Amino acid sequence: MSVNNVNKKLRIGVVLSSGGGRGVFAHTGFMQAIEQLHIDVCAVAGCSAGALVGGIYASGAEIQHWSEAIANINPADYWKPDPWWKFMWQMVVRKGRGYTGISDSKTAIDFIRRHIAAQTFDECRMPFYCLAFNLTYGSKMLFDTGDLAPRIMASAAIPILYRPVEIDGEWFSDGAAIELAPTDAVCCKQNLDILIVHHTAAIERSGPDGLARALRQPWSMLELLYLQFYKERPWYLSHKPFSEHFCPCGCGARIVVLEPDLPELTWPFGREGVELQVNARKQTLAILSEQLLEWRNLADTNQLTRKRQEQCT
């Protein structure tokens, strides 16, 4: 059975986790592998870095064009920090009152607009969801309608580095503050058979060694923030390159989790991420090539459908 026949019989979705610059390059390599394997993706969800790459892909933009863009990226393309005198005035004279981030989000939003092929969620080639933290109400927000670029940026607006994004009178920031990967966004809503989770925020940061490491890194303030973001690991992680589960919501979807072994990447990111991207693509190809053989058998014998029914009853 060909891969195309698998795609006709199985509904497959993708979730891309947070992960900073490391996640941007790793998810790009992952999506390149998905295309190379001719896996027809029915829906995409993402958080932070995953929202950026997932939004680019779901919008219909060519992933290869995006890969070329980030290979030659300049921090000025997505990051416009305040001049030092303004920062000092805000912090010393005003004592930080009302100062919510080193850079505004407009530069990054404009960067996203230049690379997406659709301007709204409804114009995307497939259903797309991105997770952000609603600062106004202290709650989780899963965007699936409206203007695409500001909502992608809302999901990726890292505290301290970026000022929150205002949407319809409410303020939003990095979704990783509330959940590293929105697995519940797609499998149940889109009636998926298989959900592939590409998780790039799985670095162990806890304990005295984790704290000492954070204090040795550039942007230690961010590293301390990540200690809080990553204090709880998602239910689906196993510390293994590949693992399988079933959706805890009871829909019966098979959750396939990839945790690539990749080096860290210091923010702001640039050319050094290209090798990481290639590495992520190779790991994805190695794992999913084998899985496709099993999925073909499952699709051919309808075993996966029966398994879903068993999980739901």
Side-chain angles (χ1 to χ4, degrees), residues 209-223:
D209 291 342
L211 177 59
R213 177 207 153 279
L215 295 176
R216 291 194 303 268
Q217 297 297 311
W219 295 92
S220 291
M221 288 187 296
L222 282 182
E223 295 295 328

Side-chain angles (χ1 to χ4, degrees), residues 11-19 23 27-28 30-31 34 41-59 121 124-132 140-145 148 151-152 155-156 175-176 179-190 192 194-200 236 255-256:
R11 290 182 55 79
I12 301 174
V14 164
V15 167
L16 306 177
S17 76
S18 62
H27 291 322
T28 300
F30 169 80
M31 295 311 306
I34 290 291
V41 177
C42 297
V44 179
C47 174
S48 196
L52 175 59
V53 179
I56 295 290
Y57 183 81
S59 76
F121 283 81
C124 288
R125 61 177 172 174
M126 63 191 67
F128 171 60
Y129 305 83
C130 64
L131 175 69
K140 172 180 175 178
M141 180 65 194
L142 197 62
F143 290 115
D144 62 356
T145 60
L148 197 57
R151 287 164 175 81
I152 290 175
S155 178
E179 189 175 340
L180 298 182
T183 55
D184 61 337
V186 286
C187 61
C188 303
K189 293 181 180 180
Q190 297 298 324
L192 298 179
I194 297 171
L195 178 64
I196 307 172
V197 180
H198 192 241
H199 192 96
T200 63
Y236 55 78
I255 311 293
V256 174

